[in-house]
C-alpha cells in the first residue's frame, strides 16, 4: 500500500505514550522494583517516546513513592499518571509531581453496571469537576471512556465534548477488551475527530491480535497520541507493542521515524523488559524476533542477495541488526550456497555451487542439517577438488 500523503505528513507529529510502567504493571508476572522502573523510564526516554505513563499513586504507597521519584528525574519525556476519574485520585495525582494526569472511567453499560454504578449524567458531572481541578493546577489532562467500543457512541461524543469544554487537552478512545477492528476504529476515531478539536489518544488491547493495526487505524483517522508498551505487555495478553507500532510507522516514513526514535536501542529495551516480566521476546516479534531478518527459501535468498528490499520493508541496519541467509535446509538455492562460500573465502563458480547445492539438499532430505554441515561440505568439496575452480 502506498501511504496516504496526509498520513505520511503526520508521522512526525504523532506522540507516543508508553505505558509499560502502568498497563505493563498489569501484566501477569510483572513486578517492577523502583530501580527497574527508573531503568525502563530512562530507556524509554532515550528511545524517544513522548510520554511515560505510571500507575496511579493511590494504588499503593510504593506506587506513589516511585511516581514521585520518577517524575522528579527530569526526563525529556513527560511523566503521566493514570487515575480513576475521581477528585480524591486526581488530588493525589496533582500532588505526585507528574506533569499530566490521565483520567479514566468506564462508559459502557457493562462497566457502568458492574464496575462503578454511575449513569452517564453522573459520569459527566464528575468528569467536568475533576478535569477542571487538574487543569486548574496547570497540568495536562486527558479524559478517557474505558471500554469505548462497547459504549454508546452518542454518550462518548457528549462526554468528550464536555471534557474538552471543561479543559481536557486530550480525550482517550480505549479498546479495553480488544473487541475493535481497524475499520471500526477508523470510523469511531474519525467521528471523534469531527466532534472535538483537542488531541485524541488511542489505547488498544490485543485480545484478537488487532492492537497494532487498530492503533495505526486510529492514527490514520486523526488520533494524535497512541498508547504502547514494550513488547505490548499489559492486562491479559496486552496492548499495542511499541516496537511493532514503530515498525508500522517506519514503513510509512522511515526518515521521520529514524529521526525521532533511537531504533538501535529497541532490542536492548525489549530484552530488558522481557527479563523483568519473565517472558521471552516472542519468536515472531516484529523487528527483534530471532528470525525477523532470516531469509530461507532459495528463491528469496537469490533476490535478497541482489537487492535486499525485494523481501525486506525494514532495513535491519537501521535497528542495529543484521540480516542472515539460512542455507542449511532442503529449500536452499545455489545463490545462497555460493554466498556462504564467499563468507568463508571459498570461491565457487555457478557450476560448483549448483553441484554442492544438490548435495546439501540430498543431505537435508535425510536429516536436519546445520550451517556447520554446509560449511563442512563446502570445505570438503574444496579440499578434494570436487568443486571446480574452488580457491584453495
Ligand atoms: C485500565 C483500563 C485501560 C485504560 C485505558 C485508558 C483500558 O486498566 O484501567 O485510560 O485509556 O484498557 O481501558 O487500560
Ligand atoms: Cu488497557
Amino acid at each position: 500500500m502506498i501511504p496516504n500523503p496526509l498520513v505520511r505528513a503526520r508521522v512526525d507529529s504523532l506522540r507516543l505514550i508508553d505505558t509499560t510502567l502502568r498497563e505493563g504493571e498489569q501484566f501477569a508476572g510483572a513486578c517492577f522494583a523502583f530501580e527497574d522502573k527508573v531503568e525502563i523510564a530512562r530507556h524509554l526516554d532515550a528511545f524517544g517516546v513522548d510520554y511515560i505513563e505510571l500507575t496511579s499513586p493511590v494504588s499503593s504507597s510504593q506506587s506513589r513513592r516511585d511516581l514521585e521519584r520518577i517524575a522528579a528525574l527530569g526526563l525529556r519525556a513527560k511523566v503521566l499518571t493514570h487515575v480513576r476519574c475521581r477528585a480524591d485520585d486526581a488530588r493525589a495525582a496533582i500532588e505526585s509531581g507528574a506533569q499530566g494526569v490521565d483520567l479514566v472511567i468506564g462508559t459502557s453499560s457493562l462497566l457502568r453496571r458492574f464496575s462503578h454504578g454511575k449513569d452517564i449524567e453522573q459520569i459527566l458531572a464528575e468528569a467536568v469537576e475533576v478535569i477542571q481541578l487538574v487543569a486548574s493546577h496547570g497540568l495536562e489532562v486527558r479524559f478517557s471512556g474505558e471500554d469505548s467500543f462497547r459504549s454508546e457512541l452518542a454518550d462518548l461524543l457528549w462526554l468528550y465534548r464536555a471534557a474538552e469544554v471543561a479543559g481536557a487537552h486530550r480525550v482517550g478512545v480505549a479498546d479495553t477488551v480488544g473487541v475493535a477492528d481497524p475499520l471500526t476504529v477508523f470510523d469511531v476515531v474519525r467521528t471523534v475527530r469531527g466532534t472535538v478539536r483537542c488531541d485524541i489518544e488511542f489505547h488498544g488491547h490485543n485480545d484478537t491480535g488487532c492492537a497494532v493495526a487498530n492503533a495505526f487505524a486510529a492514527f490514520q483517522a486523526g488520533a494524535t497520541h497512541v498508547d504502547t508498551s514494550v513488547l505490548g505487555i499489559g492486562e491479559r495478553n496486552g496492548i499495542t507493542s511499541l516496537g511493532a507500532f514503530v515498525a508500522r510507522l517506519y514503513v510509512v516514513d522511515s526518515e521521520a521515524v529514524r529521526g525521532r526514535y533511537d531504533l538501535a536501542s529497541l532490542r536492548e529495551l525489549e530484552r530488558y523488559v522481557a527479563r523483568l516480566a519473565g517472558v521471552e521476546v516472542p519468536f515472531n516479534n516484529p523487528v527483534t524476533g530471532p528470525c525477523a531478518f532470516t531469509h530461507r527459501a532459495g528463491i528469496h535468498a537469490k533476490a535478497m542477495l541482489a537487492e535486499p528490499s525485494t523481501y525486506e520493508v525494514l532495513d535491519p541496519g537501521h535497528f542495529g541488526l543484521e540480516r542472515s541467509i539460512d542455507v542449511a535446509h532442503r529449500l536452499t538455492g545455489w545463490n545462497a550456497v555460493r554466498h556462504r562460500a564467499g563468507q568463508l573465502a571459498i570461491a565457487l563458480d555457478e557450476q560448483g555451487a549448483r553441484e554442492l547445492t544438490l548435495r546439501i539438499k540430498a543431505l537435508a532430505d535425510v536429516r536436519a542439517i546445520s550451517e556447520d554441515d554446509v560449511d563442512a561440505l563446502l570445505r570438503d568439496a574444496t579440499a578434494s577438488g570436487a568443486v571446480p575452480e574452488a580457491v584453495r
Side-chain angles (χ1 to χ4, degrees):
M1 181 191 92
I2 297 169
N4 171 336
L6 291 176
V7 167
R8 190 176 175 150
R10 289 178 44 244
V11 168
D12 227 8
S13 61
L14 179 69
R15 300 285 170 252
L16 293 188
I17 299 179
D18 188 275
T19 180
T20 306
L21 294 178
R22 194 281 295 176
E23 178 78 53
E25 260 207 313
Q26 297 173 220
F27 179 62
C31 175
F32 304 138
F34 171 67
E35 295 70 26
D36 303 331
K37 291 186 187 177
V38 171
E39 189 66 22
I40 293 173
R42 288 200 189 284
H43 254 301
L44 287 167
D45 195 38
F47 180 76
V49 302
D50 302 278
Y51 297 84
I52 295 171
E53 185 181 72
L54 274 86
T55 300
S56 166
V58 303
S59 296
S60 75
S61 317
Q62 186 67 40
S63 301
R64 181 178 49 74
R65 279 195 299 274
D66 293 351
L67 169 62
E68 288 168 0
R69 287 190 284 176
I70 289 173
L73 286 178
L75 300 175
R76 189 199 43 77
K78 282 191 182 173
V79 172
L80 304 172
T81 186
H82 183 263
V83 299
R84 292 170 298 184
C85 190
R86 290 167 37 162
D88 43 357
D89 286 24
R91 268 186 222 103
I94 292 163
E95 282 164 18
S96 72
Q99 289 144 301
V101 182
D102 285 344
L103 302 170
V104 68
I105 182 156
T107 46
S108 62
S109 63
L110 277 169
L111 291 181
R112 282 191 278 124
R113 181 149 167 237
F114 295 107
S115 176
H116 53 68
K118 294 173 189 159
D119 62 23
I120 292 290
E121 286 73 19
Q122 287 170 296
I123 292 174
L124 185 133
E126 195 163 17
V128 165
E129 188 188 313
V130 178
I131 291 165
Q132 286 172 343
L133 171 69
V134 178
S136 71
H137 283 80
L139 299 184
E140 199 168 305
V141 52
R142 182 220 67 180
F143 172 81
S144 177
E146 188 184 358
D147 205 5
S148 308
F149 290 88
R150 293 189 301 173
S151 303
E152 291 298 324
L153 187 55
D155 289 347
L156 279 182
L157 298 177
W158 191 53
L159 287 169
Y160 291 156
R161 272 294 300 143
E164 175 173 43
V165 171
H169 300 89
R170 199 164 66 245
V171 291
V173 180
D175 182 19
T176 306
V177 292
V179 68
D181 61 88
L183 293 184
T184 305
V185 171
F186 188 89
D187 249 18
V188 169
V189 173
R190 197 167 52 172
T191 306
V192 175
R193 183 66 295 165
T195 306
V196 295
R197 303 181 60 158
C198 65
D199 286 340
I200 301 172
E201 174 177 339
F202 176 80
H203 175 100
H205 278 261
N206 204 32
D207 298 71
T208 66
C210 289
V212 172
N214 285 346
F216 189 70
F219 165 60
Q220 287 176 304
T224 53
H225 293 62
V226 162
D227 288 12
T228 62
S229 71
V230 178
L231 292 171
I233 63 169
E235 194 80 39
R236 304 184 306 282
N237 77 332
I239 63 163
T240 306
S241 154
L242 173 65
F245 188 67
V246 165
R248 181 98 278 289
L249 294 177
Y250 172 106
V251 172
V252 178
D253 187 344
S254 65
E255 267 186 38
V257 169
R258 288 169 63 204
R260 285 198 58 153
Y261 305 107
D262 179 16
L263 300 181
S265 68
L266 179 64
R267 181 160 66 166
E268 189 45 41
L269 171 61
E270 290 187 337
R271 284 186 173 176
Y272 184 75
V273 171
R275 203 167 62 241
L276 288 179
V279 297
E280 299 281 332
V281 171
F283 78 92
N284 59 351
N285 204 43
V287 186
T288 61
C291 315
F293 297 106
T294 303
H295 301 274
R296 200 158 201 233
I299 195 164
H300 286 215
K302 178 183 178 193
M304 280 294 305
L305 291 167
E307 172 50 56
S309 64
T310 47
Y311 286 102
E312 275 175 0
V313 291
L314 310 167
D315 180 341
H318 291 161
F319 296 84
L321 302 169
E322 284 177 4
R323 73 179 58 92
S324 65
I325 309 271
D326 182 5
V327 284
H329 53 91
R330 65 166 69 103
L331 310 178
T332 198
W334 69 268
N335 286 280
V337 171
R338 196 176 186 188
H339 178 252
R340 179 64 194 150
Q343 290 176 326
L344 299 175
I346 296 171
L348 272 186
D349 64 4
E350 180 179 333
Q351 176 62 17
R354 284 183 186 278
E355 282 174 20
L356 208 79
T357 303
L358 290 178
R359 288 167 63 184
I360 294 168
K361 283 172 178 277
L363 186 59
D365 267 347
V366 178
R367 64 170 171 86
I369 61 169
S370 67
E371 193 168 77
D372 285 349
D373 293 317
V374 170
D375 292 355
L377 280 171
L378 273 166
R379 291 201 175 93
D380 277 2
T382 308
S384 67
V387 177
E389 293 179 31
V391 174
R392 296 185 182 103

